[in-house]
Amino acid sequence: MTMFYCYKRCSTCKKAQKWLDDHQVSYESQDLVDFPPKKADLIAWMTKYQDRGIRYFFNTSGQDYRKLGLKDRVTEMTIEEAAEMMAQNGKLIKRPLMVNEHALTCGFKEEVYQATWL
């Protein structure tokens, strides 16, 4: 099953969801803030897609990211440390996060969704 982790107040998530619905892409939705992904899932995804780097998974423009001063710390973090932080605070995860057994995307760019989810 394709999971779509989003935040209901996020305009980017709304755009992505509209795109998915307009293109009849099936997915299951989960609130990223109220119910962030489990640490084990985050570790698995960051390990499988480690060529993208840990920063790819972080919401680098988010208030929580800035408040915690993560800009300089992310490059030194292990996957386990990053997953622990994200599992505790879903606002640290770049949204929307869409994942299934074959693919994963963070954020929404129409051309990336077109290439990945159709």
Side-chain angles (χ1 to χ4, degrees):
M1 170 52 86
T2 301
M3 286 298 300
F4 180 73
Y5 294 92
C6 59
Y7 179 44
K8 59 185 166 265
R9 295 175 52 201
C10 172
S11 61
T12 304
C13 291
K14 290 176 187 175
K15 285 183 211 168
Q17 199 159 18
K18 181 181 179 344
W19 187 93
L20 292 168
D21 293 342
D22 288 350
H23 290 84
Q24 288 102 35
V25 176
S26 70
Y27 60 91
E28 193 172 310
S29 184
Q30 182 169 316
D31 189 286
L32 191 61
V33 175
D34 292 339
F35 304 101
K38 292 179 174 73
K39 179 181 174 182
D41 290 333
L42 289 161
I43 289 172
W45 301 332
M46 285 191 269
T47 301
K48 183 174 182 179
Y49 299 100
Q50 63 185 305
D51 60 314
R52 299 178 189 184
I54 290 176
R55 188 178 302 277
Y56 175 78
F57 295 87
F58 273 99
N59 178 11
T60 58
S61 60
Q63 290 179 4
D64 290 8
Y65 182 86
R66 287 193 297 261
K67 276 186 214 168
L68 294 169
L70 296 177
K71 180 182 177 187
D72 299 321
R73 294 175 44 207
V74 167
T75 55
E76 306 299 320
M77 256 183 221
T78 66
I79 288 173
E80 175 130 348
E81 290 168 332
E84 178 71 35
M85 291 185 85
M86 290 181 201
Q88 298 297 318
N89 182 351
K91 286 188 177 181
L92 291 175
I93 301 170
K94 187 172 185 176
R95 57 187 184 252
L97 166 64
M98 188 139 160
V99 63
N100 65 19
E101 62 275 6
H102 306 293
L104 178 143
T105 57
C106 287
F108 173 67
K109 289 186 179 161
E110 193 170 330
E111 62 276 8
V112 173
Y113 266 47
Q114 184 87 25
T116 308
W117 302 113
L118 286 185

